[in-house]
């Protein structure tokens, strides 16, 4: 009966799942609040006009914001 997981396997998987959730929770919280606050960083960049030198900075802000939105999307959904 190798297809049936043993109790030890189930406990190990439950433990790993719990540890994974505990490790991800702070990252999710930081990502959520970063996604909330990052648009404030756009204001100084956009207020003076977007020059060629600031374009990589603005693109980086957009990319970091997108990552924060994805990672923090389930914050507070428990």
């Amino acid at each position: 009966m190798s297809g049936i997981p043993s109790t030890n396997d189930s406990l190990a998987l439950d433990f790993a799942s719990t540890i994974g959730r505990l490790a991800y929770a702070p990252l999710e919280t930081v990502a959520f609040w970063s996604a909330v606050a990052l648009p404030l960083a756009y204001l100084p960049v956009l207020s003076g006009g977007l020059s060629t030198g600031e374009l990589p900075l603005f693109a980086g802000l957009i990319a970091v914001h997108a990552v924060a939105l994805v990672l923090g999307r389930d914050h507070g959904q428990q």
Side-chain angles (χ1 to χ4, degrees):
M1 301 270 169
S2 64
I4 300 172
S6 70
T7 303
N8 290 339
D9 290 341
S10 294
L11 289 174
L13 288 174
D14 287 343
F15 179 71
S17 176
T18 301
I19 293 299
R21 276 181 281 155
L22 288 174
Y24 183 68
L27 174 66
E28 188 176 54
T29 301
V30 169
F32 174 82
W33 287 109
S34 295
V36 170
L38 271 171
L40 295 175
Y42 299 163
L43 297 175
V45 174
L46 294 175
S47 67
L50 198 58
S51 68
T52 306
E54 292 174 332
L55 192 58
L57 172 65
F58 187 67
L61 281 172
I62 296 290
V64 169
H65 193 197
V67 169
L69 285 169
V70 170
L71 291 177
R73 71 183 179 271
D74 292 331
H75 176 67
Q77 295 284 326
Q78 288 100 21

